[in-house]
Amino acid sequence: MGDSDQGPDWLTDTDKDILKVLWTKLILSPSIIAENTDRSRVSVSRRLDTLQAGGLVDKVDRGKYKISEKGIEAIEVYGHPENFREDTLSSE
């Protein structure tokens, strides 16, 4: 793991985008997350597996994910998501 002020050193930009979407505390599918991050569903699915293994997201049912408490803590390292949501999430 990386320094606590930078979050895990394995956290990718895609991971951060996924966590920002899940930060809404909604339970979402990889397809919905992909649509809201302008990432492919396959890429999102792969990263969700990694985020789940790292304890940052929880799988609540088949194909449904939510952010974990650890995930909320990790995303707060980068600032409150509402402050940069428009810059990083697809608005199309």
Side-chain angles (χ1 to χ4, degrees):
M1 294 246 165
D3 295 354
S4 62
D5 62 339
Q6 295 179 358
D9 57 5
W10 52 264
L11 208 60
T12 68
D13 288 339
T14 299
D15 296 339
K16 293 173 194 174
D17 288 346
I18 291 168
L19 290 173
K20 289 171 201 168
V21 171
L22 290 175
W23 181 83
T24 61
K25 298 188 181 174
L26 295 173
I27 296 171
L28 301 172
S29 69
S31 295
I32 297 297
I33 296 167
E35 184 69 27
N36 285 284
T37 59
D38 200 27
R39 308 281 183 174
S40 74
R41 187 200 53 78
V42 172
S43 174
V44 168
S45 291
R46 284 188 197 131
R47 295 314 301 167
L48 281 167
D49 288 342
T50 301
L51 290 167
Q52 183 182 5
L56 301 181
V57 300
D58 294 323
K59 189 172 189 175
V60 296
D61 201 356
R62 183 176 178 191
K64 296 178 183 175
Y65 297 84
K66 69 175 186 173
I67 196 166
S68 68
E69 289 301 317
K70 186 176 176 181
I72 291 169
E73 292 171 11
I75 199 64
E76 288 175 350
V77 167
Y78 301 100
H80 199 276
E82 289 180 347
N83 294 336
F84 48 81
R85 183 176 203 93
E86 292 177 13
D87 295 339
T88 55
L89 297 181
S90 174
S91 60
E92 297 179 13

